[in-house]
Amino acid sequence: MTELCQSLLTLIVGACLLRASSATVLSSGNFMGDFFVMWSPSHVNTSADGQMRSLFLDKDSGAGFESNDMFLFGKFEVQIKLIPGYSAGTVVAFYLASDQPNHDEIDFEFLGNVLGQPYIFQTNVFVDGFGDREDRVVPWFDPTKEFHNYTILWNIYEIVFFVDSIPIRTYRNHVEEGVPYPKSQPMSVKVTIWNGESWATGGGRDKIDWSKAPFVASFAEPHIDACIWEGEPGPCRASDPLNWWNGEGFNSLSTWQRRWFKWVRLHHRVYDYCQDYERFQYHLPRECNLTSY
């Protein structure tokens, strides 16, 4: 009887551990294993070992790929080398999206520019179909010369956008203060390149020069450490050791992260929706008057 009980207990514990472990994923870092091409495979070039991938934009099409799974909270990162030379009108995007009618979305968008002008890194957060939370910074390096790491940390406390481990933007969970926050809709990871000349550069003034096509953006070392959606949000919201991103150590920026964040905001921010009084007719969104970290 004792041996039977022990065997049953072992099976139960094993099943629980299996279920818990299946809720999280540490990606293989392989584009062919973790993603599928969702748009224009003729404009996608992947290395034989799956470690590198390029997307092309020409007059015929852009391209994109998407994660095989959907997630609710986690850490998502990829190395990117952006389009060199004249890139006005082009948009390269690394983002999370739920694809629901009232969709949630967390965006990293890289807006190309004319020669002599820097790239613009635009971030945005959509909740229940509403965005209008754009923030723009210019990089402190040339993002076309070599690969740099871009990370989205999304947990129950906040969303943080990182460039080479430096936080450039936060969006806090202020639901208790009436601020919407993405916390229920699972999202997939997407990477795209497309024609945004109607708005991306100079408000649409500077168009794509197709004589310089194809425009190529390169990607490497994708990593996803996140909670796989299995039908309900509870397991992904839990402060479980497997959901390390929901731990108390990630409920705010650290001291050194705050210093870097302030440095970026002071020296590299070129647009903040929370300072655009005219756009919101002097009624700024509620989160603009609350803490950023």
Side-chain angles (χ1 to χ4, degrees), residues 1-279:
M1 187 69 175
T2 301
E3 291 181 0
L4 178 59
C5 290
Q6 289 178 340
S7 298
L8 288 173
L9 181 60
T10 300
L11 288 172
I12 292 171
V13 171
C16 290
L17 289 174
L18 180 60
R19 180 173 181 178
S21 63
S22 68
T24 63
V25 60
L26 181 61
S27 67
S28 65
N30 188 296
F31 287 106
M32 291 188 292
D34 298 331
F35 300 88
F36 67 93
V37 175
M38 62 176 178
W39 174 28
S40 192
S42 62
H43 288 62
V44 180
N45 186 15
T46 307
S47 64
D49 61 4
Q51 301 300 306
M52 301 277 293
R53 173 166 282 178
S54 295
L55 297 183
F56 302 82
L57 170 67
D58 59 23
K59 210 164 186 176
D60 294 326
S61 181
F65 58 91
E66 180 177 355
S67 62
N68 295 326
D69 295 302
M70 301 193 76
F71 311 95
L72 188 66
F73 305 124
K75 182 181 179 183
F76 312 85
E77 58 187 346
V78 66
Q79 299 268 338
I80 305 175
K81 183 163 63 173
L82 293 171
I83 302 165
Y86 185 98
S87 56
T90 67
V91 178
V92 175
F94 160 51
Y95 62 108
L96 311 177
S98 67
D99 294 333
Q100 300 296 321
N102 295 323
H103 72 292
D104 290 350
E105 192 168 306
I106 303 172
D107 297 336
F108 244 129
E109 293 177 313
F110 307 96
L111 312 183
N113 221 325
V114 298
L115 290 176
Q117 297 297 318
Y119 257 87
I120 292 175
F121 294 175
Q122 174 170 285
T123 56
N124 200 357
V125 177
F126 286 77
V127 187
D128 293 329
F130 292 96
D132 294 336
R133 299 180 178 92
E134 296 92 346
D135 186 276
R136 293 182 173 186
V137 303
V138 293
W140 49 95
F141 55 88
D142 185 343
T144 72
K145 295 296 184 183
E146 57 188 8
F147 285 95
H148 290 267
N149 193 71
Y150 301 89
T151 303
I152 297 171
L153 175 66
W154 171 38
N155 62 27
I156 59 177
Y157 310 107
E158 63 182 354
I159 296 164
V160 186
F161 298 84
F162 294 92
V163 177
D164 293 333
S165 299
I166 294 176
I168 67 166
R169 164 84 184 275
T170 63
Y171 184 81
R172 294 285 299 171
N173 183 350
H174 288 300
V175 169
E176 293 183 357
E177 287 80 15
V179 177
Y181 187 80
K183 58 184 177 60
S184 299
Q185 296 189 48
M187 294 192 264
S188 61
V189 183
K190 300 185 180 184
V191 177
T192 58
I193 185 171
W194 48 284
N195 177 353
E197 66 177 3
S198 64
W199 64 275
T201 309
R205 181 184 65 251
D206 299 305
K207 305 298 184 180
I208 292 178
D209 182 352
W210 293 113
S211 70
K212 295 177 170 57
F215 301 96
V216 182
S218 302
F219 307 87
E221 300 184 30
H223 290 287
I224 300 172
D225 197 357
C227 184
I228 296 178
W229 177 256
E230 294 184 335
E232 56 144 293
C236 294
R237 292 176 180 167
S239 296
D240 186 282
L242 290 171
N243 298 341
W244 60 263
W245 47 85
N246 287 337
E248 291 186 4
F250 298 91
N251 64 1
S252 184
L253 298 182
S254 67
T255 300
W256 74 266
Q257 286 175 336
R258 294 181 187 188
R259 291 172 182 165
W260 278 114
F261 178 77
K262 291 177 181 178
W263 174 77
V264 171
R265 310 306 281 175
L266 180 62
H267 298 289
H268 295 274
R269 181 181 61 192
V270 293
Y271 178 81
D272 177 2
Y273 77 105
C274 281
Q275 295 183 1
D276 196 339
Y277 293 92
E278 186 174 341
R279 176 183 181 182

